[in-house]
Amino acid sequence: MLRRSPYLLLILATCIWGGNFVAGKALVLHIPPITLATLRWGLAFLCLLPFFGKQVWQLRAEFLRNWPMILFLSATGVAGFNTLTYEAVQFTGSINASLMNSATPIIVVVLTWLVMRERFAWAALPGILISMAGVSWIISRGSLSALLHLSFNKGDLLMIGAVICWALYSVGMKKMAGRFPSSPFLLIQVAAALVLLIPLSMVEWGIKSPQIEWNLSLTAGLIYIGLFASIVSFLSWNRAIELVGPQRCAGFLNLIPLFSAIFATFFTGESLQVYHLLGAVWIVVGVYLTNLAMKKRLVAGLK
């Protein structure tokens, strides 16, 4: 059932990524961001390789023919987005970072219109804006003044880069939808991303010379982002894109701050406030309206 329902897949992916935000925020305090991204994807690679390595080898000729697109996907969605996000949270506040991340659905809609020449989904715009309003309400803690006094720094610019990377990845995955089985396709993307990340992490290690003190919580956090946030969520998200396209999937990204707030309540001791609940209602309504509009447009296009 899960493999056939794009909406359950999208909820699963965003739920895991919501937890990833909390785990990543804690891990980056102890592990440098590029090194963290390398460890995350290295663990995912080791887990995927025994199961899907043979399929990758069998499909090697096809992968080689499509290597520019595979490298593009690896650089944007696998290596780029996560590394830039880990870098960004060192310099910017959560309000700025989350607000910029909530703009991803609109960027995906625009890029799909420009790159894939799909008709612009104007009908989905109200739902996207309502969902973004819910995200803004949660991350500003229900304070309008917090939204009116935003400032931009190095971290904000890095987060803008991360958002653009994810939007490009989503559109790129739509172009490649159905060409390869999802699991070996993810494995080859991860392998290509590691080719990019390992040299960068070596440079970072040489510059910062971090002293990482491994313990149970640090190891558990790395396992979470390496297995669930890197494998389960990506396979779920990519399969959903194949089923319904990037525009309809993009609205679900605004569920990530909602799930982040829930996980933070349970694991960091933060209390659930009224603004969380109000923002959650706006997000859910916005996602519903966005997907309803996209579904109606699809049905109209088939007639």
Side-chain angles (χ1 to χ4, degrees), residues 25-86:
K25 184 78 172 179
L27 289 169
V28 81
L29 298 175
H30 307 279
I31 305 174
I34 301 177
T35 301
L36 178 59
T38 305
L39 291 173
R40 168 184 176 172
W41 293 113
L43 179 58
F45 176 79
L46 292 176
C47 293
L48 288 168
L49 185 62
F51 298 100
F52 306 108
K54 183 178 180 180
Q55 287 181 266
V56 169
W57 179 252
Q58 293 171 341
L59 294 168
R60 64 188 183 281
E62 287 296 317
F63 284 142
L64 286 173
R65 276 194 287 270
N66 290 275
W67 72 265
M69 196 62 185
I70 291 172
L71 186 61
F72 172 80
L73 293 172
S74 299
T76 54
V78 182
F81 173 77
N82 296 281
T83 305
L84 287 172
T85 300
Y86 292 149

Side-chain angles (χ1 to χ4, degrees), residues 39 49 90 97 115 170-171 191 203 239-240 242 260 262 270 294:
L39 291 173
L49 185 62
Q90 297 181 110
V115 176
S170 295
V171 175
V203 172
R239 177 56 179 159
E242 292 178 11
S260 294
I262 293 172
E270 296 182 19
M294 296 300 297

Side-chain angles (χ1 to χ4, degrees), residues 45-266:
F45 176 79
L46 292 176
C47 293
L48 288 168
L49 185 62
F51 298 100
F52 306 108
K54 183 178 180 180
Q55 287 181 266
V56 169
W57 179 252
Q58 293 171 341
L59 294 168
R60 64 188 183 281
E62 287 296 317
F63 284 142
L64 286 173
R65 276 194 287 270
N66 290 275
W67 72 265
M69 196 62 185
I70 291 172
L71 186 61
F72 172 80
L73 293 172
S74 299
T76 54
V78 182
F81 173 77
N82 296 281
T83 305
L84 287 172
T85 300
Y86 292 149
E87 289 277 5
V89 294
Q90 297 181 110
F91 304 103
T92 190
S94 60
I95 290 179
N96 294 38
S98 299
L99 272 175
M100 285 180 236
N101 191 55
S102 69
T104 305
I106 291 180
I107 297 175
V108 169
V109 171
V110 173
L111 285 176
T112 305
W113 172 51
L114 292 174
V115 176
M116 303 185 70
R117 302 300 180 185
E118 292 187 8
R119 185 160 55 91
F120 190 79
W122 291 106
L125 193 58
I128 292 174
L129 294 177
I130 290 173
S131 189
M132 288 181 63
V135 172
S136 303
W137 193 253
I138 289 177
I139 60 182
S140 66
R141 299 176 181 270
S143 171
L144 292 177
S145 63
L147 297 177
L148 297 175
H149 296 87
L150 293 176
S151 60
F152 293 87
N153 56 29
K154 179 180 178 181
D156 300 325
L157 298 177
L158 288 168
M159 197 62 209
I160 290 174
V163 168
I164 293 173
C165 278
W166 189 256
L168 289 169
Y169 177 79
S170 295
V171 175
M173 279 302 301
K174 176 60 177 177
K175 292 179 70 70
M176 297 295 289
R179 296 193 188 185
F180 303 106
S182 57
S183 297
F185 191 31
L186 177 60
L187 176 56
I188 196 66
Q189 289 180 50
V190 171
L194 286 173
V195 172
L196 301 173
L197 286 171
I198 290 175
L200 293 174
S201 65
M202 293 174 66
V203 172
E204 179 186 60
W205 197 270
I207 294 174
K208 297 185 177 181
S209 300
Q211 301 295 321
I212 303 174
E213 297 182 4
W214 292 99
N215 52 47
L216 183 59
S217 60
L218 204 62
T219 303
L222 184 60
I223 291 174
Y224 177 84
I225 66 171
L227 296 184
F228 292 95
S230 301
I231 298 177
V232 177
S233 57
F234 265 76
L235 289 177
S236 300
W237 181 263
N238 292 346
R239 177 56 179 159
I241 287 179
E242 292 178 11
L243 292 173
V244 297
Q247 291 193 29
R248 291 177 67 183
C249 292
F252 279 80
L253 290 173
N254 284 333
L255 291 174
I256 294 177
L258 170 60
F259 286 123
S260 294
I262 293 172
F263 280 113
T265 300
F266 284 102

